Amino acid sequence: MNLNAWIKGRVLAFEGLARPWAERSRLRGWAYEFLLFGLKQAWACLFGGALVVLLIGTHLWWPADAALSRYDLLVVAALALQAFLLATRLERWDEALVILVFHVVGTAMEVFKTAQGSWIYPEASILRIGGVPLFSGFMYAAIGSYIARIWRLMEFRFENYPPLWAPGLLAVAAYVNFFTHHFVLDVRNALFVLSMMIFAPTWTVFTPDRTPRRMPIPLGFLLVALFIWIAENVGTLTAAWSYPDQRDGWRMVSIGKLGAWYLLMLLSFVLVSLVHRPRAPGEGESTNPLTSPAQRREGDQSPKSDWWRGRASSSADGAS
């Protein structure tokens, strides 16, 4: 039995113990659903969370004069973690390929940005391209890994998803702007507006437990961008990299970076959508181990709950 199957077995065993308790009252049901939501989020963050732990651990305890530099150790550890996820089938090969593409895309941007003085990597290393240690690409790959994993764990479906070419062109424009704004007009504000226009009618339908929930897709991008910004503060606090305004001592990364992470989140989402094609509610097979296929089909036809309003709305409601 592979590790992935073993973990699913433990999840089902836990479900068998916890479900009777959760069904005793509506409040317990909500509490159980919230617990599952948190556990799925944490499990989706496995790769990124491990990297954050490595950043903190190596900053506190890795010797500065070690034969293997801290940055090179992070590269070796990230490669070992990725190999582990693939060997244990916790990540799929097609997902890993997209994550590799995002790794390359992120590293290319890092090489350009460090040459422009946008930020620096202050420590020495061997495994690097120009001023960029190769571990930095894994920080971008962690975003792709999270999106690919949470897409499966929460059974993402989409109401009123735009034609695939529209988000694709928007993602390309956002990536190009990361380079061109150093020389010509920065059009990120226009890109924000375009993203709102393209995704205005689009809702993400996700299933933490058995009841499908939904939220506007731009809100989801923004929430993930916020957590990436928090992780970036951890990265700079542990001296993994630094910005010009941190030269004389650490300070919190500007909240304005949220915009850049929002656009980068959009880019990674579009890349992952090449593997996990956006589907409407009711399409595709279930990946939720907590429900049977019959329950899943029934759930696809059940009302979707707008999580902040506490009311149900059918998928035909669209963005109204």
Side-chain angles (χ1 to χ4, degrees):
M1 178 185 296
N2 61 60
L3 181 60
N4 192 25
W6 182 86
I7 291 173
K8 285 184 178 180
R10 302 287 73 75
V11 169
L12 291 174
F14 172 75
E15 161 76 2
L17 294 173
R19 181 65 63 184
W21 176 88
E23 291 179 341
R24 290 177 185 171
S25 71
R26 181 174 296 183
L27 182 60
R28 289 187 179 188
W30 288 340
Y32 184 55
E33 182 177 19
F34 185 74
L35 173 65
L36 290 176
F37 177 84
L39 290 175
K40 286 186 177 184
Q41 288 287 348
W43 189 238
C45 290
L46 177 63
F47 189 81
L51 289 182
V52 170
V53 170
L54 284 168
L55 289 177
I56 297 172
T58 55
H59 175 66
L60 294 175
W61 297 297
W62 192 252
D65 58 352
L68 182 65
S69 73
R70 178 194 180 199
Y71 287 170
D72 290 341
L73 171 67
L74 290 171
V75 175
V76 173
L79 283 171
L81 179 58
Q82 184 66 74
F84 171 79
L85 292 176
L86 289 172
T88 55
R89 300 183 185 178
L90 295 178
E91 198 162 81
R92 291 168 22 182
W93 280 98
D94 54 352
E95 293 173 346
L97 179 60
V98 171
I99 292 167
L100 174 62
V101 171
F102 196 39
H103 187 296
V104 173
V105 166
T107 301
M109 188 173 70
E110 287 274 331
V111 171
F112 176 82
K113 289 289 190 178
T114 52
Q116 298 297 316
S118 298
W119 56 83
I120 62 169
Y121 292 90
E123 300 179 25
S125 65
I126 295 175
L127 303 175
R128 63 193 300 127
I129 300 175
V132 180
L134 294 184
F135 88 85
S136 67
F138 287 99
M139 303 303 293
Y140 294 89
I143 302 173
S145 175
Y146 164 77
I147 297 172
R149 290 167 63 80
I150 200 65
W151 198 307
R152 284 187 283 111
L153 289 169
M154 294 284 192
E155 292 197 314
F156 278 5
R157 298 294 186 268
F158 302 93
E159 298 175 1
N160 304 314
Y161 196 84
L164 293 178
W165 59 265
L169 288 179
L170 181 62
V172 170
Y175 185 69
V176 170
N177 187 68
F178 282 123
F179 296 86
T180 58
H181 81 86
H182 288 277
F183 311 108
V184 295
L185 182 66
D186 187 352
V187 297
R188 73 181 64 189
N189 289 334
L191 294 172
F192 296 147
V193 173
L194 279 174
S195 73
M196 296 300 172
M197 293 173 61
I198 290 173
F199 288 110
T202 306
W203 294 71
T204 303
V205 178
F206 59 101
T207 309
D209 184 15
R210 291 180 174 177
T211 303
R213 309 290 181 180
R214 68 176 199 161
M215 73 163 62
I217 195 169
L219 178 60
F221 290 164
L222 184 60
L223 289 174
V224 175
L226 176 62
F227 280 94
I228 296 172
W229 175 79
I230 293 172
E232 186 177 31
N233 276 283
V234 174
T236 55
L237 184 60
T238 57
W241 64 90
S242 63
Y243 291 99
D245 64 349
Q246 297 172 324
R247 191 168 298 154
D248 299 324
W250 183 83
R251 64 176 63 185
M252 188 172 290
V253 176
S254 169
I255 195 69
K257 291 285 289 181
L258 268 177
W261 285 118
Y262 175 92
L263 294 176
L264 204 63
M265 173 64 192
L266 172 65
L267 172 61
S268 59
F269 179 88
V270 169
L271 286 174
V272 172
S273 72
L274 299 177
V275 174
H276 297 297
R277 288 302 179 100
R279 300 177 186 271
E283 292 184 353
E285 296 182 1
S286 170
T287 57
N288 187 352
L290 305 183
T291 57
S292 68
Q295 288 173 319
R296 182 68 237 149
R297 287 192 296 269
E298 182 179 334
D300 284 330
Q301 298 170 5
S302 65
K304 314 299 188 297
S305 173
D306 294 346
W307 62 275
W308 70 90
R309 294 175 180 170
R311 69 171 180 85
S313 59
S314 69
S315 61
D317 287 339
S320 59

